[in-house]
Amino acid sequence: VVRTARATGERFAVLAPLVLSAGVPPSGDPAVALEPGVRFQKLLGFGGSFTESSADLLLQMSPAKQQRILEAYFSEDVGLGFSMGRFHMGSCDFS
Protein backbone atom coordinates (compact mmCIF):
# COMPACT_ATOMS: atom_id res chain seq x y z
CA VAL A 1 0.00 0.00 0.00
CA VAL A 2 1.32 3.43 -0.96
CA ARG A 3 -0.18 6.65 0.39
CA THR A 4 0.21 10.32 -0.51
CA ALA A 5 -1.51 12.85 1.73
CA ARG A 6 -1.15 16.61 1.82
CA ALA A 7 -2.13 16.97 5.49
CA THR A 8 0.60 14.60 6.72
CA GLY A 9 3.26 15.47 4.16
CA GLU A 10 3.41 11.86 3.01
CA ARG A 11 4.56 11.42 -0.58
CA PHE A 12 4.41 7.86 -1.86
CA ALA A 13 4.84 6.52 1.69
CA VAL A 14 5.01 2.73 1.76
CA LEU A 15 2.63 1.32 4.38
CA ALA A 16 2.18 -2.14 5.81
CA PRO A 17 0.38 -4.56 3.48
CA LEU A 18 -3.35 -4.98 3.89
CA VAL A 19 -4.48 -8.39 5.01
CA LEU A 20 -7.75 -9.64 3.57
CA SER A 21 -9.51 -12.30 5.58
CA ALA A 22 -12.97 -13.57 6.38
CA GLY A 23 -14.52 -12.92 9.76
CA VAL A 24 -14.82 -10.03 12.18
CA PRO A 25 -11.78 -7.73 12.50
CA PRO A 26 -10.36 -6.76 15.89
CA SER A 27 -12.05 -3.73 17.43
CA GLY A 28 -10.83 -0.48 15.93
CA ASP A 29 -9.41 -2.01 12.77
CA PRO A 30 -10.83 -0.76 9.48
CA ALA A 31 -13.15 -3.21 7.78
CA VAL A 32 -15.01 -3.71 4.53
CA ALA A 33 -18.10 -5.90 4.66
CA LEU A 34 -19.03 -7.71 1.46
CA GLU A 35 -22.46 -9.16 0.87
CA PRO A 36 -22.19 -11.32 -2.27
CA GLY A 37 -25.96 -11.73 -2.47
CA VAL A 38 -26.63 -7.97 -2.62
CA ARG A 39 -25.97 -6.21 -5.94
CA PHE A 40 -26.41 -2.51 -6.61
CA GLN A 41 -24.75 -1.97 -9.97
CA LYS A 42 -22.85 -3.83 -12.65
CA LEU A 43 -19.10 -3.25 -12.92
CA LEU A 44 -18.26 -2.51 -16.55
CA GLY A 45 -14.49 -2.39 -16.17
CA PHE A 46 -11.53 -0.36 -14.95
CA GLY A 47 -9.59 2.35 -16.71
CA GLY A 48 -8.11 5.79 -16.63
CA SER A 49 -8.52 9.17 -18.23
CA PHE A 50 -6.61 10.59 -21.18
CA THR A 51 -5.90 14.29 -21.47
CA GLU A 52 -4.73 16.42 -24.35
CA SER A 53 -1.31 16.77 -22.72
CA SER A 54 -0.90 13.00 -22.25
CA ALA A 55 -1.87 12.43 -25.91
CA ASP A 56 0.67 15.05 -26.98
CA LEU A 57 3.41 13.31 -24.99
CA LEU A 58 2.45 9.91 -26.37
CA LEU A 59 2.68 11.23 -29.93
CA GLN A 60 6.24 12.47 -29.26
CA MET A 61 7.36 8.90 -28.46
CA SER A 62 8.55 6.30 -30.92
CA PRO A 63 5.96 3.75 -32.12
CA ALA A 64 7.68 1.06 -30.01
CA LYS A 65 7.38 3.16 -26.83
CA GLN A 66 3.77 4.03 -27.67
CA GLN A 67 3.04 0.31 -27.93
CA ARG A 68 4.72 -0.35 -24.56
CA ILE A 69 2.64 2.38 -22.90
CA LEU A 70 -0.62 1.04 -24.33
CA GLU A 71 0.29 -2.52 -23.32
CA ALA A 72 1.15 -1.31 -19.81
CA TYR A 73 -2.40 0.04 -19.49
CA PHE A 74 -4.54 -2.38 -21.48
CA SER A 75 -2.77 -5.76 -21.69
CA GLU A 76 -4.03 -8.39 -19.28
CA ASP A 77 -0.79 -10.35 -19.71
CA VAL A 78 1.88 -7.69 -19.11
CA GLY A 79 -0.05 -4.63 -17.93
CA LEU A 80 -2.86 -3.40 -15.72
CA GLY A 81 -5.59 -4.94 -17.85
CA PHE A 82 -7.64 -1.76 -18.17
CA SER A 83 -10.73 -2.20 -20.32
CA MET A 84 -11.86 1.44 -20.53
CA GLY A 85 -10.54 4.90 -21.20
CA ARG A 86 -12.15 8.29 -20.63
CA PHE A 87 -11.60 11.25 -22.92
CA HIS A 88 -12.64 14.78 -22.04
CA MET A 89 -14.94 16.73 -24.32
CA GLY A 90 -14.55 20.47 -24.57
CA SER A 91 -12.54 21.36 -21.48
CA CYS A 92 -9.85 19.77 -19.37
CA ASP A 93 -8.00 20.92 -16.26
CA PHE A 94 -4.70 19.58 -17.57
CA SER A 95 -4.56 21.16 -21.04
Side-chain angles (χ1 to χ4, degrees), residues 23-37:
V24 178
S27 179
D29 282 359
V32 175
L34 302 177
E35 296 288 341

Side-chain angles (χ1 to χ4, degrees), residues 4 7 9 12-16 19 21 23 25 28 31 34 37 45-46 51 54 60-63 73 79 94-95:
T4 296
F12 301 105
V14 178
L15 306 177
V19 178
S21 61
L34 302 177
F46 287 95
T51 63
S54 65
Q60 293 177 35
M61 297 178 184
S62 69
Y73 279 106
F94 303 109
S95 294

Side-chain angles (χ1 to χ4, degrees), residues 1-64:
V1 175
V2 177
R3 179 171 56 201
T4 296
R6 180 182 296 175
T8 63
E10 293 172 304
R11 298 292 183 262
F12 301 105
V14 178
L15 306 177
L18 293 177
V19 178
L20 302 177
S21 61
V24 178
S27 179
D29 282 359
V32 175
L34 302 177
E35 296 288 341
V38 178
R39 300 195 184 249
F40 295 102
Q41 60 194 30
K42 183 177 180 180
L43 179 65
L44 299 175
F46 287 95
S49 62
F50 300 92
T51 63
E52 185 177 342
S53 59
S54 65
D56 187 51
L57 291 173
L58 190 65
L59 289 174
Q60 293 177 35
M61 297 178 184
S62 69

